[in-house]
Structure formats: C-alpha cells, structure tokens
Amino acid sequence: MAENCTRKLIVEICNAKNLMPKDGQGTASAYAIVDFDGQRRRTKTKFRDLNPVWDEKLEFLVHDIESMAAEMLEINLYNDKKMGKRSTFLGKVKLAGSVFVKAGEETLVYYPLEKRSVFSQIKGEIGVKVFYVDEEAPPAPAEPAAEQKAETAEEKPKEEEDKKEENVEEKKEEEEKPKEEPPKEEEKPNPPPAEASKSEDTTAAATPPPPPPEVENPPIAHKEEASSTKVVATKSKAETGKSSQLVINELELRSLSGDHNRIAYDLVDRMPFLYVRVVKAKRANKEPACPLHAKLVIGTHSIKTKSQIDKDWDQVFAFDKEGLNSSSLEVSVWAEEEKKKNKKKETPPPLLPPCLESEKSPGNDVMVSVWVGTQADEAFQEAWQSDSGGLIPETRAKVYLSPKLWYLRLTVIQTQDLQLGSGSEPKVRSPELYVKAQLGAQLFKTSRTPVGSAWNEDLVFVAAEPFEPFLVVMVEDWSNGQLVGQAKIHVPSLERRTDDKTEPKSRWFNLVGAENKPYAGRIHVRACLEGGYHVLDEAAHVTSDVQAAAKQLAKPLIGLLDVGIRGASNLLPVKTKDGTRGTTDAYVVAKYGQKWIRTRTILDRFNPRWNEQYTWDVYDPCTVLTIGVFDNGRYKRDEAGKPGRDLRIGKIRVRLSTLDTNKVYLNSYMLMVLLPNGAKKMGEIEIAVRFSCSSWLSLIQAYGTPLLPRMHYLRPLGPAQQDILRQTAMRMVTARLARSEPPLGQEVVQFMLDTDTHVWSMRKSKANWFRVVGCLSHAAILARWLDGIRTWAHPPTTILVHVLLIAVVMCPQLVLSTIFMYAFLILALRFRYRMRVTHNVDLRLSYVDAVGPDELDEEFDGLPTTRSPDTVRFRYDRLRALASRAQTLLGDVAAQGERLEALFNWKDPRATGIFVVVCLFASLLFYVVPFKVFVLGSGFYYIRHPRFRGDMPSAPLNFFRRLPSLSDQIM
C-alpha cells in the first residue's frame, strides 16, 4: 500500500430493535456513542422509540493501517438523560478490527447488545454496517502528530482533547528517545547484503579486515588467490591466514535461530545451510553487451544463474551442510557469446562474507555474499535448495489458501407474459414449465408447474471468489422440450446477507429467446449470497473450519496451533529410478481451515528431514488437523510432456480437543495406506504439535456455543442437499488448488478432503456396524449384570442390592446426588489413565485386516464399475444377502412398535379388553398402596431367589408377544 494512502473507517448505525425501557414510562430515547482508536462519535437521539432508526454514517481516521486488525470498535447505547433520570445504559457491542471489510462488501449485521455488568438489565440488538475506504492523500508538509489528531477529534469535549494531546506528547517523547544499540557482530551472522553498493562507477577499496577476537570455534578462514574477478561485500568478518573444515558450532546456530528477524522454529531441529547470494557482475572493457551467467560449484553440486544482459541476477543458493562433500567453493562468470571464462576460486569457503579484490583484472567484478544460516532464514524460501532439486517449482515449499466459498440462493417465484411456441407448431392445451439455473458447471432445476402457476422454490449453488460473472436462468417447456427464454444475473453485484431477518429484494428479468425472439417474457426471482452459512468442503467428522462466509460473523480467536514437521523414517520405495533401484521423493501436506501448507520435496531419501514449522489461527477447539505424506511425481514429465501423479504414502489426523493447552506433543506416527491387496505400512512421520491458548475462559465458552453458524439452525439445508453441495465445494477447491503454482494435484486434495466418504464400502459398513455394537455393549453388560443379580449368581452382591433398594425407597431425594457423585469419582480416577498420545488411524477399528481381497477391490472400483459381469453379479448377490438381514432386523423392530399400538386401538378386542380390566384394577391398587411400597415390592419380586422362579416366560411377556402387528399385511 502506498505511503500517501489514508484509510477511513465508516460505521453506519442503522437501527436497533427491542430495547429495554429505561425512562420509567415504558420507552427509551436512545443514542449511540462509537469509540475507535481514541476517537469518539455520537448519533442523534431518537425520542421515545424502542425500535429507533438512525441511518447515520460516522467516519473515523485509521492512524495505523497495519495494526487496524488489533483495534477494537465499541458501540454504547444510552438513554438520553433529558427524558428521564433512571439508568441510562442500554447496552454495548464490541467489534474486533479483523471483521472490517472493504467498501462494497459490507452487509447489515445485527449484534445482540451486551451487558456492562452482571446486574445490568439489557436486551435487544443493533444493526450496524462497518467498512473502510482507502483514499489517496494529497502531498502535504509534515505536521506535528498532536495537530493531526486534534483535527480528527473536533467533536470531542475540550477535556478529552487536552487528555489526548498529553498522550500524544508522551508518545512523541518516547519516539525521540535513542533506540537500543544493536548487538555486536560477534553475536549473530551478517545478513545477506541485498542492498549492497548500487553505484557501478566507484569500486570499493580493498582494506584488510581487523583480526577478530579468538573464539572457541573460530569461523572458517579463506585464502586469496590471484584471479580475474572481484568479490565485493558490504561487511567483512572473515579471518585470514588460517584454515579449517566447514563446521558450525551449536552457539552459532543458537544465535542464528535467535535472530529476531527470523521466524521462531522451536518445534523442529535447526538445519545449517551455506547461503550464497550472487548479485551482479561488472565488466571493465567496453565490449558489446552479451548474456552473462554465473556458475557455482561446491563438490558435486553445480548450479548456474539465469542469463541476463545488463541486469542483476540477485539469486540465492542454499547448500545443505550435511550434503556438502567439499570444502571449496568456486564462483565463475561466463559470457555465452565469447565462451570466455572468468574464474575466481576460494579454498575453503568462508563462514562469513569476505571482501576480496582481484589483482590481475581490477575492472571485472562480481558481487556475491556468503553466510551460514538455518531454515528459518528469510532467504530460505526463495533460495535454490540443494536437498530439494534446486529451482524446480514442483519441489518448492508453498502456502495455499482455499477459495472463499459462499452459498448462492436463487428463489424462483413466477413467470409472466411468456411467448410460448411458434405459429408452425401445434399448441399444447396445458403446457408445463420448469426453470433451470446454471452457475459454471452446476445445474439445478425446479419442479414442473402449469403456465401461470408460481414455483416459490429455492435453488442453492456454491460460489467461489472471484465469482463466475453470470448466473443463467432458463425457462423450458417440458411438453415439447424447447427453451422459452433465458436471463443472465450478474453474480458479483448480488446482495450479501448474514441472517434471515432481511429478505433480499426480488427483481423482474426479461427473458431472451431465440434470435427471432428478443423478448420471450419475464421472470420474477430473488437472488442473494448467503454469508451466514459455512460452506462445508470436507467430511463433517473431520472438519477443520466452521467459520461463516461473511467476515462480519467471524468468531473470536481462541488460540494458535503450531505444527513442526520434523521428518520421516523408514519410508518404502514407491517408484524406480533409472529402472535400477527404488526411490522416494517425499513431501508433506497439512490442512487446517482455509490454509494449506506444502513442505519442500526431499529427493531420493528414505529418511528425509524437513524441519519446517507452520502456524494456524484457531477459532474452535473441536476441529481436526490433517497431515498427509506423498511422493512427488509431478516434477518429472513423460514423453508427451505431461506431469506424473503424486502417490499417497499415508495420512494422520490430530483432533485439537484431545490436546492439552500450551504443551508440546512430539511423537512418531505410523503411516498406513490402503491398497487393493490390503493395508501396508509405508514408514513413520515425526510431528511436533502445540495448541496455545491464552484464555481458559474463552476456551470453555467455545464448548457451549453452536458448532456451525446461526443460519444452519434457522434455515437448515436438507441432508441430501447438503451432501450435493459438499461434493460441489470439494470439486471447486480441488480445481482451484490444481491451478496454483506449483499445483497441488487433484489426487492430493481428494485424499486430504476424503472425497470418497459417500462411496459404498463393505469394509466401512462392517466397521460402522461394530461401532454400533460397541456402543450398545455397555447396555448389554448392564443387562448381564442385572441378570446375574436376578439369578443370584453371586449371593453377596444380590444381598447388597436388596439393601441399596431399601435405601433408595426410603431416601429418594439422595438418588440423583449419589449418581452424580459416583460419576464424579469414577471420572476423577480415570483421569490418571487417560490417553497421553494423540490418536491416530486405528487399524483394528478400520477392519482393514478383516476383509477379503474382493471386498477391497470393490472399494477401489469407481463409478461406473469397470469389473467383469460375473464379478459384478457376485457382488450384487452378496449385497442382497446383507440387505436381507437388515430388512429382517428392521421388520422386527417395526413389529414391536405395532404391537404396542395395537393394544390401544382394539385391533385384538380380547387382548385390549384384558388390558382395560388390568388398568382398572391397577388404578384401584395404586390408590390404596403407596408408591414406595410398590417400588420396593416390585424390586424384591424381580430379584427373588431362583427356587421361587419358573423356567417359562412370564405372563406379561407372553401377552405382549401375542399382540398382532402389520407384518401379515405386507405383500
């Protein structure tokens, strides 16, 4: 953003609803006071109105654009004291600067009024629009900060102006204080001289550097040799006259990692890299300009810069210290036309930037800098990296952002003045019409209705920013299959709403028919972009983002998620190299929220070490982090020039709610992949995870708030419609990320998003069935325990139950307190045995070992099937056998309910008559016998001794089984 750009924050106070009466006469005279960044504005007073409408715009000057997201906007409503002497406070609203949007994207949002204290009596809500405008400020002479701020606060009282000027003067005095001196040069390495001397007419004089003080592990010395080039650096700290090997001590690495200009990499190991920045070259003679490139050679690593004519190279090269097999760095400059070589050699390479000067050709210069850093260095991301294949785009690390998704709701109301058919075609008496709408590749249509009838149907689409230009609405005649007419709706200009309180305005659009029909009627529709929904683009059980599409409805930040991707071990080869040996080019993809990260690809290693760290903002603790490992096959192309496919190695998931706050989890996870021949272990990945939360209160409050935004509960989408929209959103995210540079392959995104969760799988069906059985096993255990007490399997336990039954009957008020105290003690004791390692994929729960090869082959078969007819027939018969069992189970469950219903509708007159008589005697019995006696007698009867019990079923059970059901009426 330009330095002369100024930003204004516009706060439009629209209206308020259902305010609390505060004037003692059943009403209130409300006005709003808005505070932002030390500035205060006030609206007019709306007298005696509990639903006031202001529609006033208040402007604020944003002093610091960069820190606007950290500022707070506070709106306070008061009752005017002129109209009453009671409490004047009506409520307040606080908005974070992160929810402010640009002009044109604002929407009316109603915020509930908050209390000032626990005892405040507040209700109602206020409708506000908040947006900012960037303006180009005209050049003006610098003015004191106190005068500028005084002009922005003309409406403030004099006391507030004086107080603000005092704060400004204090801030100005702090700015004039001398800054702290930077640390000495011995404590950290020199940064790369990106802004070295820009003048080419003058040459720096070669002066011998002063000898540095002796240290425990001195930096590497270098030896100068005569050459025809010149290496120039802005600073020098290298020693002369000594030689040693290329080693880096731990103290230097700590100083490198502790530099405040670098990102804190505290969850991963520090990896030393030798950085070489080649800036430019200068030729002394006046020969014609020709392309030049520089070449760097260190051991077996050889790389050259791009060819430039009268331009700087300014390229950075990072050599992995562990992969270096030489202590000599050679920098040479080549002219492509003359094929001449100017060469300069350093032996061994210096640890810090040297300052050398040529002796033979003082006019030919090349500007380079050499330093040692870590992966946290700012130049690492843009540098050529020796362990990831250099400057190959497909092997670079990258951060991706998913497209921002919205729901587009189109409500088709009715049509009018339609021009149906033509003169040559026979007219249909009652033609039926339907409306078809298309947005990109999405196509939905309404039901059929006769001409003149209204539809009033909603069609919901998924729209991604930047939006498709037009939504095409077509009216078709179902009787003859012809297009009546179509209209185009401009999507970017649609109204954006955040709740259901304001209906978007409906509009009439003219329908355009064929070429000979410029007017074919008109259609009445209502269209808007729904910002109150969260567009699900991943499976519901592994969702990582629950934010609403509208920025104004963003949840407050509750913490940070730091993930350190350290490395992998014992990876299996997934492809062959040169047809002789196996190899793996592994990289990691992590996804949380809208942010995707991709590490660099480590080529041809089975134990790669990435040591990269990333951070995500956390808005909800009940979300899931997904991490996948893949083999890079896209950086190599086949004979036709098409890139290969990335192969999956494994995937893990970490649920944030299972993590303790502010604790580092460093674990190795097993990487498993499901293949047509079964599950296979591909290796292990080492991950460090930390969930940081500064406020326990906000974290606990998040568990009581709805998981999804409010619109999902006010106007919910159907399950079938939600599944269709989810699949559409997945395809849109996949397509957008595949067009990124470097692209994130379609197979990678689909594997991370679990796009195949809706596909039939015998293995998943078995797993889900046994999950249900596992949940019901606790009830089965309780039933077996009661049966053991009932049959006196353990007499002491049965006697204790008799005593417990008497205590419950005599003191019923202690039942609930005893149950909750028992639950408290049990859970408190189980806290010591909780799972201390984050959960991973459970092979036993997934039933990958309990299925046959044919069932796995069926799971990998796509739609439509590609298997032989005999195989499909066998699988269909197997599915029919499984469905018949489910059919019988459903019929048995339905029969039990129908028997109970038949007891009350006299379907069996004798059975119902017996039940009526029993009810009469029961009412008389319970009128005489106290309820406690009945409970005590029933309990003793149920757990009576086996010698007083028969072997046949009881009379009530026999009576219930004889009741009729509807099973005999099914054909």
Side-chain angles (χ1 to χ4, degrees):
M1 185 176 295
E3 295 181 357
N4 59 348
C5 180
T6 60
R7 175 171 293 181
K8 291 184 178 180
L9 181 69
I10 310 299
V11 181
E12 183 175 353
I13 308 296
C14 299
N15 60 345
K17 297 180 180 179
N18 302 324
L19 296 180
M20 176 69 71
K22 288 295 182 77
D23 61 352
Q25 301 177 6
T27 183
S29 302
Y31 66 92
I33 293 180
V34 185
D35 294 289
F36 176 76
D37 197 11
Q39 308 167 58
R40 173 169 291 184
R41 301 289 185 269
R42 184 187 186 278
T43 65
K44 297 180 181 178
T45 301
K46 295 297 179 179
F47 296 102
R48 299 183 180 278
D49 192 355
L50 295 178
N51 299 284
V53 178
W54 291 282
D55 288 332
E56 296 186 25
K57 292 185 178 180
L58 308 178
E59 294 187 1
F60 298 87
L61 181 63
V62 180
H63 297 113
D64 190 356
I65 299 178
E66 299 296 333
S67 63
M68 186 186 71
E71 297 289 342
M72 293 295 296
L73 174 69
E74 184 173 352
I75 305 174
N76 290 273
L77 289 185
Y78 293 95
N79 177 51
D80 200 329
K81 293 182 179 180
K82 298 178 182 179
M83 304 304 300
K85 298 182 179 180
R86 289 198 169 191
S87 176
T88 61
F89 184 69
L90 295 177
K92 67 176 181 179
V93 171
K94 287 187 176 181
L95 303 179
S98 57
V99 303
F100 302 161
V101 297
K102 294 182 180 179
E105 300 180 3
E106 72 276 5
T107 57
L108 178 60
V109 183
Y110 285 91
Y111 299 97
L113 295 173
E114 301 176 0
K115 296 181 179 181
R116 185 165 55 184
S117 63
V118 180
F119 304 101
S120 300
Q121 295 182 359
I122 302 300
K123 72 173 185 177
E125 54 189 4
I126 183 172
V128 182
K129 292 182 181 179
V130 184
F131 58 94
Y132 59 86
V133 180
D134 293 328
E135 300 177 352
E136 293 292 337
E143 296 180 2
E147 296 179 4
Q148 293 180 359
K149 292 192 175 182
E151 292 177 1
T152 62
E154 293 179 355
E155 300 180 6
K156 281 192 171 186
K158 188 175 182 180
E159 296 179 0
E160 295 180 0
E161 291 182 357
D162 296 338
K163 185 182 298 184
K164 187 173 182 180
E165 291 178 0
E166 293 176 3
N167 296 335
V168 171
E169 291 176 0
E170 293 177 1
K171 187 182 295 183
K172 189 174 181 180
E173 292 176 1
E174 292 179 359
E175 293 177 354
E176 293 176 356
K177 291 182 179 180
K179 298 182 179 179
E180 296 181 359
E181 296 182 0
K184 296 181 180 180
E185 292 183 352
E186 286 80 359
E187 295 179 0
K188 65 177 183 179
N190 294 326
E195 299 181 356
S197 169
K198 297 183 180 179
S199 175
E200 297 185 0
D201 299 335
T202 61
T203 305
T207 58
E214 293 292 336
V215 294
E216 189 172 346
N217 288 320
I220 301 171
H222 67 277
K223 185 181 295 183
E224 299 183 12
E225 293 185 2
S227 63
S228 60
T229 62
K230 181 179 181 181
V231 180
V232 182
T234 57
K235 296 182 181 180
S236 173
K237 285 181 62 180
E239 291 189 69
T240 57
K242 296 182 181 180
S243 63
S244 64
Q245 297 181 355
L246 185 61
V247 294
I248 302 142
N249 56 33
E250 186 69 17
L251 181 61
E252 293 167 346
L253 285 180
R254 288 181 180 177
S255 64
L256 289 170
S257 301
D259 190 356
H260 65 276
N261 292 326
R262 296 177 170 87
I263 304 173
Y265 274 50
D266 56 340
L267 299 182
V268 296
D269 297 332
R270 295 181 294 272
M271 299 179 63
F273 283 88
L274 177 66
Y275 289 90
V276 181
R277 180 186 290 271
V278 183
V279 183
K280 61 182 178 179
K282 186 182 70 173
R283 303 176 65 177
N285 49 15
K286 302 298 181 180
E287 297 179 2
C290 61
L292 298 177
H293 70 267
K295 184 177 181 181
L296 282 74
V297 178
I298 177 170
T300 57
H301 298 287
S302 177
I303 186 64
K304 67 177 183 178
T305 65
K306 53 188 176 183
S307 299
Q308 297 285 2
I309 301 178
D310 296 334
K311 289 185 179 180
D312 299 344
W313 295 303
D314 197 16
Q315 289 184 245
V316 183
F317 303 89
F319 297 92
D320 186 9
K321 180 253 180 183
E322 296 181 357
L324 295 180
N325 52 9
S326 175
S327 59
S328 173
L329 171 65
E330 180 180 300
V331 181
S332 57
V333 180
W334 296 75
E336 295 187 359
E337 291 185 358
E338 296 94 348
K339 301 297 181 182
K340 295 181 180 179
K341 179 181 179 182
N342 294 329
K343 188 176 181 182
K344 177 261 162 191
K345 189 173 182 180
E346 299 177 33
T347 307
L351 178 65
L352 297 172
C355 183
L356 304 178
E357 184 177 356
S358 172
E359 296 180 0
K360 294 184 178 180
S361 301
N364 293 336
D365 302 332
V366 58
M367 181 182 292
V368 300
S369 63
V370 184
W371 74 97
V372 170
T374 65
Q375 74 272 27
D377 200 291
E378 294 179 356
F380 181 73
Q381 297 298 331
E382 65 179 14
W384 175 94
Q385 298 160 6
S386 61
D387 59 351
S388 61
L391 296 175
I392 303 175
E394 289 79 6
T395 62
R396 311 284 292 178
K398 181 68 181 292
V399 177
Y400 304 87
L401 288 178
S402 297
K404 190 174 183 180
L405 303 177
W406 296 69
Y407 282 144
L408 191 154
R409 186 186 298 272
L410 174 68
T411 304
V412 182
I413 303 176
Q414 62 180 353
T415 55
Q416 195 179 73
D417 195 20
L418 295 180
Q419 308 294 325
L420 299 176
S422 60
S424 60
E425 298 178 354
K427 294 186 177 180
V428 182
R429 290 186 177 180
S430 57
E432 292 186 343
L433 305 176
Y434 67 90
V435 177
K436 185 168 59 177
Q438 183 175 6
L439 179 66
Q442 305 173 66
L443 184 64
F444 297 101
K445 62 181 181 179
T446 64
S447 59
R448 301 193 304 266
T449 60
V451 177
S453 301
W455 285 278
N456 290 318
E457 295 185 21
D458 290 343
L459 303 178
V460 182
F461 302 82
V462 178
E465 294 183 358
F467 299 114
E468 295 282 344
F470 294 103
L471 170 66
V472 182
V473 181
M474 297 167 281
V475 180
E476 295 188 1
D477 187 353
W478 180 82
S479 305
N480 53 20
Q482 291 187 354
L483 176 67
V484 177
Q486 66 178 14
K488 293 184 178 181
I489 302 176
H490 191 239
V491 176
S493 61
L494 290 179
E495 180 182 352
R496 306 182 185 187
R497 70 170 185 173
T498 58
D499 50 30
D500 63 337
K501 298 179 181 179
T502 56
E503 283 290 338
K505 297 179 181 178
S506 59
R507 296 177 58 188
W508 287 92
F509 291 91
N510 292 335
L511 296 174
V512 179
E515 295 181 358
N516 56 352
K517 280 188 177 182
Y519 176 76
R522 59 178 187 165
I523 185 171
H524 190 199
V525 298
R526 182 186 297 114
C528 68
L529 292 169
E530 296 282 4
Y533 289 91
H534 167 68
V535 182
L536 295 174
D537 59 349
E538 51 193 341
H541 61 280
V542 293
T543 182
S544 61
D545 183 20
V546 291
Q547 293 276 61
K551 191 177 180 181
Q552 296 89 336
L553 301 180
K555 293 183 178 181
L557 184 69
I558 65 172
L560 296 176
L561 175 64
D562 297 315
V563 179
I565 303 174
R566 300 173 64 87
S569 60
N570 302 323
L571 296 182
L572 297 182
V574 296
K575 58 187 177 184
T576 58
K577 184 177 183 180
D578 301 330
T580 57
R581 64 182 182 86
T583 182
T584 299
D585 305 325
Y587 69 93
V588 179
V589 175
K591 194 262 182 189
Y592 183 80
Q594 290 188 334
K595 180 179 176 182
W596 299 63
I597 66 96
R598 167 182 177 159
T599 66
R600 68 188 189 280
T601 301
I602 305 297
L603 301 180
D604 196 16
R605 292 187 187 179
F606 298 122
N607 297 282
R609 305 298 298 178
W610 294 284
N611 284 311
E612 298 184 18
Q613 184 171 335
Y614 299 93
T615 302
W616 284 268
D617 294 335
V618 178
Y619 298 93
D620 195 290
C622 300
T623 46
V624 179
L625 167 71
T626 304
I627 300 176
V629 184
F630 302 88
D631 174 77
N632 196 332
R634 289 183 169 269
Y635 75 97
K636 290 185 178 180
R637 301 182 180 270
D638 56 9
E639 297 178 354
K642 296 182 179 180
R645 291 175 59 87
D646 295 344
L647 303 178
R648 58 184 68 174
I649 297 178
K651 177 173 59 178
I652 65 172
R653 291 192 178 97
V654 180
R655 185 170 291 274
L656 269 61
S657 58
T658 62
L659 303 177
D660 293 338
T661 56
N662 304 320
K663 178 182 178 181
V664 177
Y665 290 84
L666 177 58
N667 299 298
S668 293
Y669 301 90
M670 185 170 51
L671 295 173
M672 299 292 298
V673 64
L674 187 64
L675 302 175
N677 56 355
K680 187 177 182 180
K681 180 181 178 181
M682 304 297 294
E684 294 182 351
I685 183 173
E686 186 180 359
I687 300 294
V689 182
R690 179 178 57 210
F691 175 36
S692 304
C693 180
S694 57
S695 174
W696 265 92
L697 182 60
S698 60
L699 184 62
I700 298 302
Q701 288 178 347
Y703 280 86
T705 58
L707 183 63
L708 294 174
R710 188 167 176 260
M711 286 293 290
H712 284 271
Y713 307 98
L714 297 180
R715 299 188 65 177
L717 302 173
Q721 185 182 27
Q722 187 70 67
D723 188 64
I724 294 174
L725 295 176
R726 180 188 292 111
Q727 296 298 324
T728 303
M730 288 180 178
R731 289 193 294 269
M732 297 180 70
V733 172
T734 302
R736 288 290 181 90
L737 295 180
R739 295 199 299 264
S740 303
E741 185 61 35
L744 201 59
Q746 178 181 359
E747 63 279 2
V748 175
V749 180
Q750 291 179 350
F751 183 62
M752 296 288 291
L753 294 180
D754 281 343
T755 57
D756 57 349
T757 53
H758 64 289
V759 180
W760 161 258
S761 170
M762 180 68 73
R763 177 186 61 84
K764 293 181 181 179
S765 300
K766 288 182 178 180
N768 292 335
W769 168 256
F770 286 108
R771 286 172 59 194
V772 174
V773 172
C775 293
L776 297 178
S777 63
H778 301 289
I781 292 173
L782 179 61
R784 287 195 297 268
W785 180 74
L786 291 176
D787 186 71
I789 293 174
R790 177 172 171 266
T791 57
W792 290 69
H794 190 249
T797 304
T798 307
I799 295 174
L800 290 177
V801 172
H802 280 78
V803 177
L804 180 62
L805 179 61
I806 296 174
V808 169
V809 172
M810 300 303 296
C811 303
Q813 68 276 9
L814 299 179
V815 174
L816 294 179
S817 61
T818 304
I819 292 175
F820 285 110
M821 179 56 68
Y822 179 77
F824 168 76
L825 295 176
I826 293 297
L827 295 177
L829 292 175
R830 287 187 177 182
F831 180 77
R832 298 176 56 189
Y833 308 101
R834 70 189 187 280
M835 183 71 68
R836 299 183 182 273
V837 180
T838 54
H839 300 276
N840 196 8
V841 177
D842 193 339
L843 299 180
R844 185 190 60 83
L845 187 63
S846 303
Y847 276 83
V848 294
D849 297 331
V851 292
D854 183 71
E855 295 175 351
L856 286 175
D857 183 71
E858 181 185 13
E859 183 174 347
F860 282 91
D861 189 14
L863 291 175
T865 180
T866 58
R867 303 300 184 261
S868 62
D870 294 336
T871 304
V872 175
R873 186 180 299 109
F874 169 74
R875 292 174 179 173
Y876 176 67
D877 293 340
R878 181 178 60 194
L879 183 60
R880 289 177 61 189
L882 182 63
S884 65
R885 299 178 187 176
Q887 172 184 309
T888 304
L889 178 62
L890 292 177
D892 293 341
V893 173
Q896 308 305 321
E898 291 167 355
R899 285 169 180 162
L900 185 62
E901 185 178 356
L903 191 63
F904 293 91
N905 59 13
W906 294 87
K907 189 173 184 180
D908 186 347
R910 284 176 292 274
T912 307
I914 294 173
F915 182 67
V916 168
V917 174
V918 171
C919 290
L920 177 61
F921 281 100
S923 63
L924 298 176
L925 178 65
F926 284 114
Y927 181 77
V928 177
V929 179
F931 182 73
K932 291 183 179 181
V933 176
F934 168 74
V935 173
L936 189 63
S938 300
F940 284 165
Y941 178 78
Y942 179 77
I943 58 178
R944 65 191 183 277
H945 198 272
R947 72 173 58 182
F948 304 108
R949 191 189 309 275
D951 297 333
M952 303 304 291
S954 62
L957 184 59
N958 294 329
F959 177 80
F960 182 77
R961 287 176 177 176
R962 290 177 178 274
L963 293 174
S965 66
L966 301 179
S967 300
D968 53 350
Q969 300 181 15
I970 296 179
M971 183 178 294

